[in-house]
């Protein structure tokens, strides 16, 4: 039997194979119990073009203290920031890599905020 983490990583591997065939930059999302992280990776997967997370000091101060990085409001803020940083790096179109996490809650909030801020996926 696979553990819950191994199942998630297996799903993530399948997604990354499909994204690699598309030939576009990848918006990868990782969530933990305390934070949510978003990274835009180049088409070939060798360079990080932009990144944002709730662990950044500027984001934490705007959220209002400790323990606020694990809710949908924080994910929405990170989604807006990653879209701004990606557009500044010259990336308009990305493939969304949810890393095996369910498209629900914080992951969905981040994706919706990034779309509203101008990223296409």
């Amino acid at each position: 039997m696979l553990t819950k983490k191994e199942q998630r990583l297996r799903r993530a591997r399948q997604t990354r194979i499909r994204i690699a065939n598309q030939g576009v930059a990848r918006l990868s999302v990782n969530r933990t119990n305390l934070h949510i992280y978003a990274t835009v990776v180049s088409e070939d997967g060798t360079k990080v073009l932009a990144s944002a997370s709730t662990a950044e000091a500027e984001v934490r101060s705007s959220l209002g203290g400790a323990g606020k990085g694990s809710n949908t409001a924080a994910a929405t803020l990170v989604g807006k920031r990653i879209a701004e940083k990606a557009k500044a790096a010259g990336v308009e179109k990305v493939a969304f890599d949810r890393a095996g996490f369910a498209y629900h809650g914080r992951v969905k909030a981040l994706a919706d905020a990034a779309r509203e801020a101008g990223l296409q996926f």
Side-chain angles (χ1 to χ4, degrees):
M1 291 276 308
L2 295 174
T3 64
K4 189 173 183 180
K5 182 177 180 180
E6 290 169 340
Q7 290 173 353
R8 183 186 67 79
L9 292 175
R10 183 180 161 275
R11 288 190 303 269
R13 207 172 17 254
Q14 295 298 320
T15 302
R16 288 196 184 105
I17 290 169
R18 278 197 311 269
I19 290 173
N21 293 334
Q22 291 179 7
V24 295
R26 173 169 55 103
L27 172 58
S28 179
V29 175
N30 186 27
R31 70 174 171 80
T32 64
N33 288 338
L34 296 178
H35 295 289
I36 190 159
Y37 306 87
T39 308
V40 176
V41 182
S42 64
E43 296 88 6
D44 56 359
T46 58
K47 286 192 257 180
V48 173
L49 304 175
S51 66
S53 74
T54 54
E56 296 173 353
E58 186 178 317
V59 175
R60 283 201 327 241
S61 65
S62 66
L63 289 174
K68 305 284 187 188
S70 62
N71 56 23
T72 56
T76 302
L77 183 62
V78 171
K80 289 177 185 172
R81 283 180 59 88
I82 193 67
E84 292 168 1
K85 289 181 176 184
K87 289 173 87 175
V91 177
E92 294 287 329
K93 187 173 173 130
V94 296
F96 188 65
D97 177 11
R98 57 188 174 85
F101 294 109
Y103 188 77
H104 176 54
R106 290 187 283 160
V107 175
K108 183 178 181 195
L110 188 145
D112 291 342
R115 278 190 191 105
E116 288 175 14
L119 274 183
Q120 298 174 354
F121 57 93

